[in-house]
Amino acid sequence: MSAHTPHDQAGFPAHGWGRAIVTALAGLIAMGVTAALGLWAAGAADLPEGAFPRVVAATVVTAVGGTVELVGDAGGLAETDAGLTVTPLSVALVGALVVGAGFLWPLRHRAVAGVAELAGWAARIAVVWLLGLLGLSFAARQTFKVSLGDGTLSDLGDLFDVGPEVGFRTDVALTVAVGLLWLAGVLVLALLVARGAPLPARLLRFQEPVRPSAHAMTVLLLVCVALGAVVALVVAATRGQAAETLAVILLGLPNLVWLAFTVGLGATWDGRVEGPFGLPMPHVLDEVLRGKDTARLDLGALAAYDGRVWWLVVVDAVLLLGAGFLMAAHSPPDMPAWRHALHMAVALVLTVLMICLAGRVSAHYGLSVLGLGDLGGNLSGRLFLRPRLWSALGLAALWGLVTGFLGGLLASLVRRRAAPPPLR
């Protein structure tokens, strides 16, 4: 009996160019819709000069790791300075899920796939993805005029005919390069995470040590996002501000919940907010970060404003124990608990590293006319958030060892109780 489906026998492969176009475009469209709804909820639809579609394009570009440069032109008598580094992880997560599902769909019901087959299928998606990134990169550019407000700066602007402008544009080459790397990472992770996805015969020996831990970490991150969404919806229903909450969910929910996850592990972030930045984050974070000096963001600092923050430790412990059990349950039954601990530690360290790298935030802007303002005052602002990386990774390793070991013991206990009694 032939293993080929009638679709394959007719000469139409399940992963040809048509499906590649659908997969890549579905990912980009899903990201664009998510970004558009989030920006609309945040009030960006009212931007002047029809800039909303271009801002949406720029948001999708940053979600795949692309670079959007802030530019300014205030004439010869003025100076502008601006910069922005942030990843809207909600948009990135939606795109990764859609593209990953589209990549795996034609490979379902397969036990093994050749390297050439997988590479060819990924290359087709990459070509379409490349064209989409180019279109978004050229579309993501816009310039706005900036009001100098009232007072001395406004008078000088009128006197010397200074009309400052700020805007953004995309570094096309860097965006395309990083965007392709982002796609490659998504496709590789899709193969590692999906327990039923086929692997090349040469890589089957890596299936047992890698796939259970990758699957467990993915479930852990998605559960964190789901819990965060539930909390956000409850807050919106009880305290109002539905539009702001929707904007946070659609643009930066993983940024917040994964940050909270690392803080629950004991990690420390350094940050500061100054100027009229409107932050899409809980009030307690804004209170801690908005000060004269660099703020230390950890359990102690947050608990000084809200003691309920200590529940993050309990939630993290439960989630990690569940992830450790899930990893052990999908591993070979004869694997000792100490190996589960090592696998969990490595997987959690890599997961926290990803969160620390993707969760960094940096933004600043300023305007000076004839040296007045010194790129400061009401026309300036600064925001940054960065982790203390090595301590975060060390804590992740410790948590991974403990919860991986306990998860392995729990899985062994469940297997023994579920096993049928021996025959007499």
Side-chain angles (χ1 to χ4, degrees), residues 84-87 89 252 254-260 262-263 267-274 277 279-282 284-286 288-290 293-298 301-302 355-364 382-389:
L84 174 66
T85 302
V86 63
T87 303
L89 290 179
N255 298 71
L256 293 177
V257 296
W258 294 345
L259 166 67
T262 62
V263 171
T268 299
W269 294 65
D270 294 318
R272 184 179 180 185
V273 177
E274 57 179 334
F277 279 106
L279 298 181
M281 61 173 56
V284 62
L285 290 182
D286 193 23
V288 173
L289 295 176
R290 194 176 293 278
D293 301 317
T294 298
R296 176 189 175 101
L297 186 63
D298 58 12
L302 292 173
I355 294 173
C356 290
L357 295 179
R360 295 171 180 262
V361 177
S362 175
H364 68 275
R382 185 185 181 205
L383 163 66
F384 71 87
L385 186 63
R386 54 176 179 257
R388 297 186 184 181
L389 184 60

Side-chain angles (χ1 to χ4, degrees), residues 262-263 265-269 348-349 352-353 356 387-399:
T262 62
V263 171
L265 297 180
T268 299
W269 294 65
L348 188 57
V349 166
V352 171
L353 175 62
C356 290
R388 297 186 184 181
L389 184 60
W390 294 111
S391 61
L393 297 183
L395 288 166
L398 181 60
W399 275 89

